[in-house]
Amino acid sequence: MTLTLTVNGQDRALDLDPRTSLLDALRDHLDLTGTKKGCDHGQCGACTILVNGRRINSCLTLAVMHEGDDITTIEGLGTPEAMSPLQAAFVTHDGYQCGYCTPGQICSATAMLGEIEAGWPSHVSEDLLADPELTEAEISERMSGNICRCSAYPNIVDAIRQVGGSRDDAV
Ligand code: FES
Ligand code: FES
């Protein structure tokens, strides 16, 4: 069936088997291979992208469910010549080793910082009504859906804290 997605600011027409996941539509039909397939089961976060500003696992949703949606992949956040603040911070803090999880980590962190700014509490927030602070515990909890097999976690947290303007020290 046919559908149109707005991907990284451009309307992209697709003719897909209705069973095609959004992840496969991006990688196999639009050649946007920055988004990675790790588990294909919603467990690793490698396929995280933004849909209408919210982070989702693109392996767990069908492309046909997103007619007209505004989709941002890692290619839409920045380029090697003009990196987003988080991309630059991942480089500065050495936040990756093999790099396979990195696009998902950065997409997830991009939306997560917006969630903090909007005041959304998490499972580890002590006061559900107060503005959450960007502590290591908050970042770890909020990024827990993104697995890194290289265990670059300390550096990923440092990169996120730098961009998010962490309110406690040790960045
Ligand atoms: S590939 Fe989607 S969560 Fe692992
Ligand atoms: S940098 Fe290798 S999986 Fe995260």
Side-chain angles (χ1 to χ4, degrees):
M1 59 184 293
T2 60
L3 74 153
T4 303
L5 307 174
T6 303
V7 184
N8 301 330
Q10 288 188 328
D11 286 349
R12 306 291 301 265
L14 290 156
D15 189 3
L16 297 175
D17 183 309
R19 296 167 294 184
T20 309
S21 71
L22 183 54
L23 172 60
D24 287 344
L26 292 169
R27 287 182 56 84
D28 299 340
H29 298 267
L30 296 176
D31 291 328
L32 291 167
T33 53
T35 306
K36 297 295 185 272
K37 181 180 285 191
C39 63
D40 213 18
H41 280 83
Q43 294 172 343
C44 72
C47 66
T48 305
I49 59 168
L50 309 183
V51 175
N52 300 329
R54 301 274 290 273
R55 50 184 171 157
I56 67 165
N57 291 336
S58 59
C59 69
L60 287 186
T61 189
L62 298 174
V64 294
M65 296 163 65
H66 295 282
E67 171 73 48
D69 278 355
D70 196 5
I71 290 164
T72 304
T73 68
I74 189 71
E75 292 92 343
L77 290 181
T79 65
E81 296 74 35
M83 288 188 279
S84 75
L86 270 169
Q87 287 171 320
F90 267 64
V91 173
T92 301
H93 290 276
D94 209 10
Y96 51 87
Q97 290 180 39
C98 77
Y100 197 81
C101 71
T102 311
Q105 299 275 4
I106 291 176
C107 284
S108 196
T110 298
M112 182 272 279
L113 289 175
E115 292 160 16
I116 290 254
E117 198 153 321
W120 295 6
S122 81
H123 183 64
V124 300
S125 302
E126 284 181 16
D127 182 347
L128 300 184
L129 298 178
D131 284 342
E133 297 197 10
L134 199 59
T135 61
E136 190 172 334
E138 283 284 0
I139 295 173
S140 297
E141 167 63 18
R142 291 169 191 267
M143 294 295 293
S144 60
N146 290 80
I147 307 301
C148 177
R149 64 189 166 189
C150 301
S151 285
Y153 297 115
N155 300 0
I156 291 170
V157 170
D158 284 350
I160 295 172
R161 291 177 83 184
Q162 179 198 309
V163 175
S166 180
R167 288 180 212 172
D168 49 20
D169 41 27
V171 175

